[in-house]
Amino acid sequence: MISLQSTHALLDTADTAFGRDVLFGLSQPQKQVPCTWLYDHRGAELFEDITLLPEYYPTRAEVRILERSASLMAHFAGPQATLVEFGSGSSRKTPLLLSALESPAAYVPIDISAQVLLESVVGLQGRFPHIRMNPLVADFHKLKRLPGMKSAGRRLGFFPGSTVGNCGPEEAVDLLGKFARMLGPDALLAVGADATQDPRLLLPAYDDSRGVTAAFNHNLLWRINRELAGTFDDVGFRHEARYDAVRQRVEMHLVSRHAQRVQVLGHEFRFARGESIHTESSYKFGPIKFQALAKRAGWTPLALWMDDASRFTVYLFERSF
Ligand SMILES: C[S@@+](CC[C@H](N)C(=O)[O-])C[C@H]1O[C@@H](n2cnc3c(N)ncnc32)[C@H](O)[C@@H]1O
């Protein structure tokens, strides 16, 4: 472990947020990298492949719920609404809402992954030529305000894909509060969250038999090698999904197969055999807990819809301050 002072000196050598996060995260007693950095272009492609896997139930469950709930959401939103999607990725679920809304004024997809964001907007614009599209490449944790969007209608925030589960409870309150302030008075927010607690379903969903999730996780090492002059030996690490029943979260790790040393931006990091980098947490929030978190963030529950197995939930909230 390195001291706080040397951590500061270390971070000075990184001139990107990615570099700073990796140098800081690899200096911690439990090595870690925020899951946001899994999504470079290749990572976003691999995530799309994951959503098609038989083991990955959340996407299918959420699409089925949106098919049933989009018209009621559109009713609440009213005419000329602006749809603002956080972590939009491929925007595969978006057409369900855009088709249901009455004369939507604009669509504002926000994602950290520029190429996928732009590709998906081009596809959507072809399908919805009359809707103004304002894509925004940004980290939604750091975003303070949305680009000026003048419209007579309400703003409907959309946060699908259980991406909120990448935050722990307190971070989720903080993020949902930011969304409330960004979306402004009278806004609505639709959020998809997973409540599954059964490790027999969760572990295959995060460690599939074809190894796609493993490739998604390993891609982070390739990205560090490419963008941060890293020397990770990909085969020296193995993907592992773990379920933490106390914290109610699935964790993804990259576990070192043997003792090794790795360089990143000229700094050396040592790994013992079996030591891991924690690359993603996926918290599983049940409806009572999730609605309580959202209330603390300034959102009043209006409706919720569950899939047939009562695992996945889509919530609709209204701003309460
Ligand atoms: C779990 S995927 C969900 C994708 C899509 N919304 C869906 O429902 O299938 C998370 C998405 O959020 C994006 N993302 C992750 N962290 C982000 C951040 N801090 N700021 C903006 N986008 C982020 C990723 O690039 C990715 O597209």
Side-chain angles (χ1 to χ4, degrees):
M1 201 175 89
I2 61 175
S3 70
L4 197 60
Q5 204 177 13
S6 59
T7 303
H8 285 310
L10 183 79
L11 298 186
D12 284 345
T13 61
D15 60 1
T16 64
F18 180 39
R20 282 191 295 276
D21 280 356
V22 171
L23 292 183
F24 180 76
L26 293 183
S27 315
Q28 299 307 297
Q30 167 61 70
K31 293 180 171 63
Q32 53 193 276
V33 175
C35 65
T36 295
W37 302 117
L38 291 166
Y39 295 93
D40 63 350
H41 186 239
R42 181 68 189 135
E45 282 178 346
L46 286 164
F47 179 75
E48 269 311 291
D49 294 345
I50 289 172
T51 65
L52 303 174
L53 292 168
E55 293 99 328
Y56 196 79
Y57 57 87
T59 304
R60 281 186 301 280
E62 190 173 36
V63 167
R64 276 198 295 270
I65 296 170
L66 289 169
E67 284 166 351
R68 285 194 277 127
S69 59
S71 58
L72 189 60
M73 289 189 195
H75 171 76
F76 277 110
Q80 292 180 31
T82 294
L83 182 65
V84 180
E85 184 168 353
F86 299 98
S88 49
S90 69
S91 295
R92 190 144 62 90
K93 298 157 189 163
T94 319
L96 292 166
L97 283 182
L98 288 180
S99 311
L101 287 167
E102 184 188 340
S103 320
Y107 173 54
V108 183
I110 301 167
D111 206 284
I112 194 102
S113 193
Q115 201 172 337
V116 169
L117 176 69
L118 298 177
E119 283 166 9
S120 55
V121 166
V122 168
L124 276 178
Q125 189 74 84
R127 195 162 160 195
F128 299 95
H130 304 300
I131 303 179
R132 193 155 36 90
M133 309 248 161
N134 281 347
L136 193 59
V137 179
D139 180 339
F140 49 58
H141 287 284
K142 297 188 180 143
L143 198 61
K144 295 237 163 25
R145 64 182 67 84
L146 295 169
M149 294 172 301
K150 295 212 166 44
S151 157
R154 293 181 95 171
R155 286 179 182 177
L156 170 59
F158 184 36
F159 195 28
S162 198
T163 308
V164 69
N166 294 145
C167 301
E170 291 310 310
E171 204 188 352
V173 172
D174 186 55
L175 186 63
L176 297 177
K178 276 197 178 101
F179 291 174
R181 288 186 290 279
M182 258 190 266
L183 290 166
D186 200 33
L188 297 162
L189 178 67
V191 189
D194 188 20
T196 306
Q197 300 292 344
D198 184 348
R200 287 168 304 181
L201 286 166
L202 287 170
L203 292 176
Y206 291 83
D207 189 6
D208 62 279
S209 56
R210 293 181 212 171
V212 183
T213 320
F216 173 65
N217 203 6
H218 274 266
N219 178 60
L220 178 67
L221 301 182
W222 290 103
R223 181 176 190 185
I224 294 173
N225 286 355
R226 201 175 51 245
E227 296 181 27
L228 303 177
T231 61
F232 276 102
D233 166 23
D234 180 43
V235 292
F237 289 82
R238 63 177 172 78
H239 166 72
E240 190 175 298
R242 302 175 186 165
Y243 180 58
D244 182 334
V246 176
R247 292 181 163 127
Q248 301 188 330
R249 71 184 195 190
V250 180
E251 297 177 357
M252 291 203 320
H253 290 258
L254 288 161
V255 184
S256 180
R257 292 183 191 275
H258 49 79
Q260 53 185 314
R261 294 169 184 215
V262 176
Q263 300 264 332
V264 178
L265 288 172
H267 298 274
E268 185 175 274
F269 297 94
R270 294 174 185 203
F271 288 82
R273 182 166 179 259
E275 189 178 358
S276 74
I277 312 172
H278 181 182
T279 54
E280 188 186 80
S281 291
S282 195
Y283 283 82
K284 304 299 166 186
F285 298 119
I288 293 174
K289 187 169 178 180
F290 191 69
Q291 288 186 322
L293 295 178
K295 277 188 194 165
R296 284 176 54 207
W299 293 104
T300 303
L302 285 182
L304 67 80
W305 298 266
M306 292 186 126
D307 68 329
D308 295 342
S310 302
R311 291 202 285 259
F312 202 94
T313 311
V314 174
Y315 302 84
L316 184 65
F317 298 104
E318 185 171 45
R319 231 188 90 150
S320 50
F321 61 83

